Amino acid sequence: MFSVCINTKCFCYSLVPVDMESSEDVADLVEKLYQYRDNFVDTHGLNNIKEKPGLVKCEMDKTLCRLKEQESNCQKTMYMLLYAKVLNIVPEYSRECEEYLSKVVKRDPSLIEAWNMLGETFWKKGDISAAKDCFEGALKRSKEKVSLRSLSMVLRQLKPSKLGDEQKNILQSVEHAKEAVQLDVNDGTSWYVLGNAYLSLFFSTEQNPKVLTLSLNAYAQAEKVDPLSVHNPDLHFNRAAACRYEEAYKLALEGWLKAEALDPTWVEPRAKISELCNFLDKLNELVKKRGRLKNKRLQNLISSIKEKDLGPYHGEFVNKDKKVTLTSTNIKDLKEGRNEEKVLLGRVVCNLADLTLVPFTFAIVDSSGSCCAVTLYNLAQGRGMIIGDSVAIPEPYLTHHDIEWQGGSRWKFSSIRVTNPVVLVVNGKKLTNEHCGYTRVSMTPSDL
């Protein structure tokens, strides 16, 4: 996890020391070191997670010393590969590790593991282009899951050189991640990387809820096939991001809280929790108080709601070569889920453009005075609705939220999700493709 600054202070003790009996094969020493790191929560408990970076670093140093004692008993190329693998266990870049691996791939270009580790080392260094070359070089020699999923991650980090490159790279990223899963459906890391690829796809192309579902399914599969995935803070963090945009707000908060618990040095999960709580606080209050508008202005807005503002949704209209008639309805008469052959008309009483651009969030009041939130995805920046605008929403998809959180917080409101702006009629006119746009989201650089 490279978004985290990890304290590498070496502790001079170990709760579960790595076995370093001289009779063990040196490759087993390295494997035991990785097992020590990966099983840390199971062996030490979550209460000791703050000590993990220092303890892993301490065990790394012990393993390096043991390897040096066995150097004369090892084939030179294999010794350098194992030595580099030990150095590579920590998230920080190591120049010594890069130098060893560079020598290894020159001595034996067929060693796929060396190419993969060298690519990871360049990733840590910030040389994304060199990392990409290493993973592609490995794949030229063998179609292998680690190279595929690593290339998937690198492609999402490449800076586009021309228009359209970003989406192209992310689509390729998804395909490489899918290939890695197909090679080994029981590899949790590959499923996790696929989940991240789908989440990137959600924000780089149409913000389609189905893509979020694919991302969440991949994360769930990662935990199902690999119990160690439950200890991966990045998985919880990125899955929480997917839940947030699926509007499963409590699951998002719980996910970020878990990520923070698994990596207490990581400040971003707590920031995300505060950000979402602030959003829910404000949205809940604005819906409850109908935008906090003065009563006279509010009543004027309600009385100004007229059927003519339905625009093309007033009476019969053609939708995909099919004639459709929508029945006008109020918020209180909507059922949870999609309300087919219904249309909701209201006036905007507030928006939350100061808190979030994705989704663009506002609240409307209908002719009966009821108020609910509207979350609008795929909206171009600067095209949002303002107070007083009339908005007609065909076949509204309604969700009732009732969320309790730490410290006695409770948010209870209803919201309507709109995936595509062009279905809306604003001030009597249907929105056009000019109102559509895509926005990127910040994600953690996934573990390589």
Side-chain angles (χ1 to χ4, degrees):
M1 181 169 63
F2 310 122
S3 60
V4 187
C5 179
I6 296 182
N7 178 12
T8 58
K9 180 180 178 181
C10 178
F11 291 82
C12 295
Y13 64 94
S14 171
L15 300 181
V16 181
V18 175
D19 188 357
M20 294 209 175
E21 295 295 326
S22 59
S23 61
E24 291 188 355
D25 182 86
V26 288
D28 289 338
L29 293 175
V30 179
E31 180 61 26
K32 283 182 176 291
L33 175 64
Y34 274 79
Q35 289 177 1
Y36 178 88
R37 181 196 68 179
D38 296 340
N39 293 284
F40 189 90
V41 175
D42 288 337
T43 55
H44 295 69
L46 195 56
N47 291 337
N48 294 304
I49 195 69
K50 290 183 179 180
E51 299 175 356
K52 180 180 178 180
L55 291 174
V56 171
K57 175 64 167 57
C58 191
E59 294 299 340
M60 181 192 81
D61 292 339
K62 290 180 183 179
T63 304
L64 289 175
C65 290
R66 187 71 183 93
L67 277 177
K68 289 175 182 178
E69 293 173 1
Q70 297 293 325
E71 182 176 3
S72 60
N73 299 326
C74 295
Q75 192 267 344
K76 183 65 174 178
T77 302
M78 187 54 60
Y79 172 80
M80 290 192 294
L81 178 63
L82 291 171
Y83 196 93
K85 188 172 182 178
V86 174
L87 292 172
N88 198 44
I89 197 169
V90 294
E92 294 82 17
Y93 165 75
S94 166
R95 182 176 178 180
E96 185 181 16
C97 183
E98 180 188 340
E99 291 173 348
Y100 267 97
L101 290 169
S102 297
K103 292 176 182 177
V104 169
V105 296
K106 287 180 180 178
R107 291 170 67 99
D108 188 351
S110 68
L111 288 173
I112 303 302
E113 185 180 16
W115 283 107
N116 288 334
M117 281 196 292
L118 184 58
E120 182 179 345
T121 301
F122 281 127
W123 173 290
K124 295 177 181 181
K125 188 180 182 180
D127 192 340
I128 304 301
S129 179
K132 176 175 176 287
D133 289 342
C134 287
F135 299 132
E136 288 180 336
L139 288 169
K140 288 178 181 178
R141 293 166 173 83
S142 176
K143 189 175 181 181
E144 191 262 348
K145 64 182 181 180
V146 176
S147 307
L148 283 166
R149 69 192 185 211
S150 298
L151 182 58
S152 171
M153 289 183 279
V154 164
L155 285 169
R156 299 198 301 272
Q157 300 297 319
L158 279 178
K159 292 183 178 179
S161 58
K162 61 180 182 296
L163 188 66
D165 276 357
E166 182 178 15
Q167 289 189 15
K168 180 181 176 182
N169 288 340
I170 290 176
L171 288 170
Q172 289 181 348
S173 169
V174 171
E175 291 305 312
H176 288 313
K178 288 166 68 175
E179 284 186 81
V181 166
Q182 289 165 4
L183 287 177
D184 185 357
V185 295
N186 293 314
D187 190 304
T189 301
S190 296
W191 280 107
Y192 161 64
V193 171
L194 180 59
N196 288 348
Y198 278 132
L199 188 55
S200 292
L201 182 65
F202 173 78
F203 284 97
S204 66
T205 58
E206 180 184 348
Q207 293 155 18
N208 189 331
K210 293 180 180 179
V211 177
L212 275 184
T213 300
L214 289 172
S215 176
L216 290 168
N217 288 345
Y219 292 138
Q221 193 66 16
E223 288 190 324
K224 181 179 178 181
V225 302
D226 181 8
L228 289 179
S229 293
V230 75
H231 303 320
N232 180 355
D234 278 346
L235 186 151
H236 292 286
F237 184 93
N238 291 335
R239 179 165 56 190
C243 289
R244 186 262 180 270
Y245 293 104
E246 197 183 40
E247 301 180 17
Y249 298 121
K250 188 169 185 179
L251 290 177
L253 292 169
E254 290 171 346
W256 284 320
L257 192 65
K258 184 68 173 178
E260 181 185 45
L262 288 167
D263 190 346
T265 66
W266 195 8
V267 298
E268 197 167 358
R270 176 54 53 179
K272 288 294 183 183
I273 291 172
S274 298
E275 179 184 294
L276 181 52
C277 287
N278 185 34
F279 169 79
L280 292 172
D281 280 341
K282 189 168 183 179
L283 182 58
N284 189 69
E285 181 186 15
L286 289 173
V287 170
K288 183 178 180 180
K289 297 183 177 179
R290 296 185 291 184
R292 291 186 300 207
L293 297 180
K294 291 183 178 180
N295 188 59
K296 183 177 180 180
R297 188 178 184 193
L298 179 63
Q299 294 305 319
N300 285 338
L301 284 179
I302 293 172
S303 63
S304 70
I305 297 173
K306 306 296 181 184
E307 282 196 353
K308 65 179 180 63
D309 293 326
L310 289 170
Y313 296 142
H314 185 215
E316 190 176 73
F317 74 101
V318 177
N319 181 29
K320 297 180 180 178
D321 299 324
K322 180 182 177 182
K323 290 184 179 180
V324 180
T325 300
L326 298 177
T327 303
S328 188
T329 188
N330 286 324
I331 294 168
K332 64 182 180 181
D333 296 323
L334 294 174
K335 65 179 182 180
E336 193 155 20
R338 185 167 302 284
N339 291 261
E340 296 181 356
E341 299 183 358
K342 304 288 185 181
V343 59
L344 176 66
L345 178 63
R347 291 275 180 181
V348 178
V349 293
C350 65
N351 70 45
L352 278 74
D354 58 324
L355 294 184
T356 179
L357 293 177
V358 180
F360 182 84
T361 306
F362 59 99
I364 60 171
V365 64
D366 64 19
S367 59
S368 72
S370 297
C371 186
C372 75
V374 179
T375 52
L376 176 58
Y377 293 79
N378 295 304
L379 183 70
Q381 192 169 350
R383 296 282 190 168
M385 290 80 234
I386 61 174
I387 295 174
D389 282 345
S390 70
V391 179
I393 307 171
E395 300 191 332
Y397 190 98
L398 183 75
T399 302
H400 296 302
H401 301 280
D402 190 351
I403 309 159
E404 294 184 10
W405 188 240
Q406 299 173 340
S409 295
R410 185 176 183 181
W411 305 289
K412 190 175 182 180
F413 61 93
S414 297
S415 68
I416 294 171
R417 183 187 186 112
V418 180
T419 302
N420 194 338
V422 299
V423 305
L424 296 181
V425 170
V426 179
N427 298 324
K429 296 181 179 179
K430 208 164 185 291
L431 298 187
T432 66
N433 287 330
E434 293 180 355
H435 293 82
C436 296
Y438 308 114
T439 305
R440 294 193 63 194
V441 67
S442 173
M443 290 178 58
T444 64
S446 311
D447 282 346
L448 279 169

